[in-house]
Amino acid sequence: MAKTMAKFTVGDYLLLRLEQIGIKHIFGVAGDYNMEFLDYIVNHNGIELIPTCNELNASYAADGYGRLNGVAALVSTFGVGELSAINGVAGAYAEHVPVVAITGAPATKIQALGSLVHHTLGTGDFSIFARMYQQVTVAQAYLTKENATTEIDRVLGICLLKKLPVYISLPMDVALAEVSAPSENFMPPVFQSDGATIAEIVDVCVNILEKASQPVILADIGVARYHLHEQLRELLTATGYPYATMNMGKGLLKETHPQFIGIYNGAASEESVRKRIEQADCVLTIGALMTDFNTGKFSAKLDPSQTIEVHGDYVKVKHALYNNVAMADVLSALSQRLQYRDPQTLDFKSATENLDAGFIEPIVGGSSASITQQHFWYRFAHFLQEDDIIVAETGTCLFGASIVPLPKGATFVGQVLWGSIGYSVGSLLGCAIAASQRRSILLVGDGSFQMTAQELSTILRYNLKPIIFLINNDGYTIERDIHGERMPYNDIQPWNYHQLPKVFAGNAWAIKVSTESQLDKALETAQQNRDQLAFIEVVMDKMDSPEVLLKMLQQ
């Protein structure tokens, strides 16, 4: 709870509400117009300020934190700070991550006078940056002493309800203004399904699914954002249906689940998965987002006439749309109404049965051979443990990791839709702060790492101990695959990456490996040494790419 003070201010009120919705850390960078509010954060017992190297990385960290914690917050200063952060906030919007973006603004008197102060465009217009944020946030609040408490509650409620970022403009003097403390804890709004509609849609879905001889469930990002993992598990138990996920939904449940058949990514899928999904006479999609990287460059073939789409607040059956129905209510009702069918009747093989032998058989001792993508991912599969958090950068890392079976309790974080290069380093910080008791693992390419490498400093500053795999393949390999194999814009300056933990002076050990045997020794050390950050630079050929990536790019 908030620290007892002589007066209760807007700054206190905002922090109390953030704490009540589950936020324990705020990421950000100090600036002229937000330091009064930062003082409140520093003196608030329930929330810790995590200063980052820049505002962009703060927004990436908030995104990662929000995925694990359910909601996150970041604070920046007016103009220069909030524009630096807007890319990360846009990514959170694209991928439905609830983030509260707080901007410290000039005092209301300065704004009213149109004064030409620093961090502005010199036009006297203090609303221009807030108008930019209207495009990447679901709700905005421009706080005054009179409206602050009402507006804070309003936008926080929308953030939680819609699973999208919101924007709060907090002028310096408003942060210090005295207000009444809330008499009750914050009560987030709950979406209520329309009773008649939910009854009708469940009847329709049950009728279709019960008549289908080969039904299948395709789950995706929506399940994660609405935290409906348990409801998905109950639906699988109740029905016996096989299920797959898409790339954005990887790791919703343990991938050794007997009903899990694999990842569906259109024509880039394993053939057995592709056939089971595309030949089903009814596909029940749950929270699916049909993006290019989620559908094998739009090669997915799902017949609308045989598809039921369940989303956060609506359901689409064939060509009929039903609004005002909550995903949670639909899943629970289907679990109660649908009949169980045994695997023999449904005729499917689990992903474990279809796995390449390299993923399930022990790997023999490494050799002096160079490390290939194929070998690395096979070896990585054996390295994973229960409850690991795997953060994969968009690129060869994301697609290579997509085929690795995840153990029980593991969480997979990847920015599949927005795909901002360098996202993963900041996101790792957020994930490790949100779940410090779990082991965090970063998979990042050398090109992406150069975008946001400085956040390794913050990770070391807070004595976090993730395992970082830096794939050194001499530049932007995924871009070479897409276009310009020999073009200079896909080249980067080589760094001595494994020396950076020493440069940043933190509690870490680091190594550079280029052979299978060296990789084996590094992995063994990482498994045994949990008291330090591990930084493993893995050298690969610059044109070696995961097979699933090449398969998708051929579409």
Side-chain angles (χ1 to χ4, degrees):
M1 298 296 289
K3 181 179 179 180
T4 302
M5 303 178 70
K7 65 176 183 176
F8 194 84
T9 68
V10 171
D12 292 317
Y13 189 96
L14 176 54
L15 288 171
L16 178 59
R17 286 313 202 200
L18 291 175
E19 184 182 355
Q20 288 174 347
I21 66 173
I23 291 174
K24 297 180 181 179
H25 306 84
I26 298 178
F27 303 91
V29 178
D32 303 46
Y33 302 123
N34 69 13
M35 287 190 283
E36 288 79 7
F37 180 56
L38 297 187
D39 289 344
Y40 284 111
I41 301 176
V42 171
N43 292 312
H44 189 90
N45 293 330
I47 296 180
E48 182 179 4
L49 177 66
I50 308 293
T52 56
C53 295
N54 59 52
E55 293 89 353
L56 174 61
N57 289 344
S59 63
Y60 289 158
D63 181 298
Y65 187 96
R67 292 177 191 234
L68 268 70
N69 187 61
V71 65
L74 69 101
V75 59
S76 60
T77 196
F78 190 78
V80 293
E82 59 185 331
L83 291 192
S84 179
I86 198 170
N87 174 38
V89 176
Y93 187 92
E95 306 223 347
H96 298 265
V97 182
V99 171
V100 183
I102 305 164
T103 292
T108 52
K109 182 177 180 180
I110 291 175
Q111 295 191 46
L113 292 173
S115 302
L116 302 186
V117 295
H118 61 288
H119 296 342
T120 71
L121 298 179
T123 62
D125 183 355
F126 288 85
S127 65
I128 186 169
F129 308 126
R131 296 201 303 272
M132 295 179 185
Y133 265 83
Q134 289 178 4
Q135 308 305 312
V136 295
T137 56
V138 67
Q140 305 80 37
Y142 312 99
L143 301 187
T144 66
K145 178 182 177 181
E146 293 73 25
N147 74 10
T149 58
T150 302
E151 282 294 275
I152 288 169
D153 287 0
R154 180 182 68 85
V155 296
L156 293 185
I158 294 173
C159 181
L160 296 174
L161 188 64
K162 298 293 186 180
K163 311 302 179 187
L164 289 169
V166 295
Y167 173 86
I168 296 177
S169 175
L170 179 60
M172 302 164 61
D173 56 329
V174 174
L176 303 174
E178 188 172 358
V179 294
S180 298
S183 58
E184 298 179 348
N185 283 342
F186 182 77
M187 296 297 293
V190 178
F191 178 76
Q192 297 286 347
S193 296
D194 178 77
T197 306
I198 192 73
E200 179 179 343
I201 189 58
V202 170
D203 284 345
V204 170
C205 292
V206 168
N207 184 51
I208 294 172
L209 287 163
E210 294 285 58
K211 289 180 179 178
S213 61
Q214 295 290 298
V216 66
I217 292 172
L218 182 59
D220 196 36
I221 181 175
V223 175
R225 295 299 179 265
Y226 286 92
H227 298 275
L228 298 177
H229 304 78
E230 188 57 39
Q231 285 86 342
L232 173 60
R233 186 180 290 107
E234 290 173 357
L235 179 61
L236 294 172
T237 300
T239 63
Y241 293 1
Y243 86 101
T245 66
M246 305 181 85
N247 280 339
M248 294 182 78
K250 181 174 174 62
L252 289 175
L253 303 178
K254 66 178 182 178
E255 295 185 345
T256 53
H257 191 288
Q259 289 161 253
F260 180 65
I261 60 174
I263 302 289
Y264 177 67
N265 191 21
S269 314
E270 288 290 330
E271 187 63 11
S272 61
V273 179
R274 187 192 65 78
K275 285 184 176 180
R276 189 65 180 81
I277 296 293
E278 295 180 358
Q279 294 178 5
D281 50 358
C282 184
V283 180
L284 175 62
T285 71
I286 307 173
L289 203 56
M290 308 303 282
T291 73
D292 52 354
F293 280 4
N294 230 16
T295 61
K297 287 181 65 178
F298 304 116
S299 61
K301 292 186 172 120
L302 299 179
D303 185 348
S305 68
Q306 295 182 319
T307 302
I308 299 171
E309 299 178 29
V310 180
H311 295 279
D313 56 6
Y314 72 93
V315 173
K316 187 176 181 182
V317 182
K318 300 182 179 180
H319 300 290
L321 182 65
Y322 298 81
N323 290 309
N324 300 318
V325 286
M327 180 186 292
D329 295 336
V330 174
L331 297 187
S332 296
L334 290 178
S335 295
Q336 296 171 15
R337 294 278 304 277
L338 290 169
Q339 299 296 312
Y340 175 80
R341 303 193 210 178
D342 61 69
Q344 290 74 26
T345 301
L346 293 169
D347 187 26
F348 69 89
K349 288 185 178 181
S350 70
T352 303
E353 295 176 278
N354 287 324
L355 274 179
D356 189 308
F359 283 126
I360 54 178
E361 295 177 0
I363 292 181
V364 297
S367 68
S368 59
S370 298
I371 300 168
T372 62
Q373 286 276 341
Q374 184 181 47
H375 178 82
F376 177 79
W377 297 113
Y378 283 172
R379 195 65 184 83
F380 182 72
H382 288 267
F383 177 77
L384 290 178
Q385 298 177 354
E386 290 188 3
D387 298 320
D388 279 347
I389 301 166
I390 302 97
V391 183
E393 180 66 51
T394 302
T396 57
C397 290
L398 179 69
F399 289 95
S402 70
I403 65 172
V404 175
L406 299 185
K408 179 181 178 182
T411 302
F412 188 82
V413 175
Q415 202 181 55
V416 180
L417 174 55
W418 189 242
S420 186
I421 296 175
Y423 157 83
S424 65
V425 183
S427 182
L428 172 71
L429 168 63
C431 290
I433 290 287
S436 58
Q437 75 283 4
R438 297 170 62 185
R439 187 173 77 163
S440 294
I441 299 172
L442 172 64
L443 300 160
V444 62
D446 50 351
S448 298
F449 183 74
Q450 287 196 9
M451 291 278 191
T452 49
Q454 65 270 58
E455 224 51 54
L456 176 60
S457 171
T458 308
I459 293 169
L460 290 167
R461 174 182 179 180
Y462 286 90
N463 199 29
L464 301 172
K465 303 177 181 70
I467 300 168
I468 297 174
F469 292 96
L470 186 288
I471 307 301
N472 183 349
N473 48 16
D474 194 21
Y476 293 108
T477 295
I478 188 171
E479 304 292 355
R480 298 187 204 277
D481 290 334
I482 295 171
H483 181 82
E485 177 179 340
R486 296 179 177 83
M487 298 304 289
Y489 48 72
N490 287 325
D491 297 334
I492 60 174
Q493 170 66 16
W495 291 3
N496 292 319
Y497 298 99
H498 68 290
Q499 308 251 350
L500 286 177
K502 184 183 296 183
V503 172
F504 291 136
N507 177 29
W509 67 272
I511 192 170
K512 182 177 182 177
V513 300
S514 57
T515 68
E516 292 180 359
S517 59
Q518 291 172 347
L519 176 62
D520 285 349
K521 291 178 182 177
L523 293 174
E524 183 178 352
T525 302
Q527 291 283 33
Q528 296 173 351
N529 185 0
R530 298 292 297 272
D531 296 327
Q532 292 179 292
L533 179 148
F535 191 101
I536 304 173
E537 179 182 348
V538 184
V539 179
M540 297 186 193
D541 183 82
K542 68 180 179 182
M543 290 312 298
D544 187 10
S545 297
E547 183 180 346
V548 66
L549 171 60
L550 297 177
K551 190 175 180 181
M552 186 191 74
L553 293 176
Q554 289 170 2
Q555 303 308 312

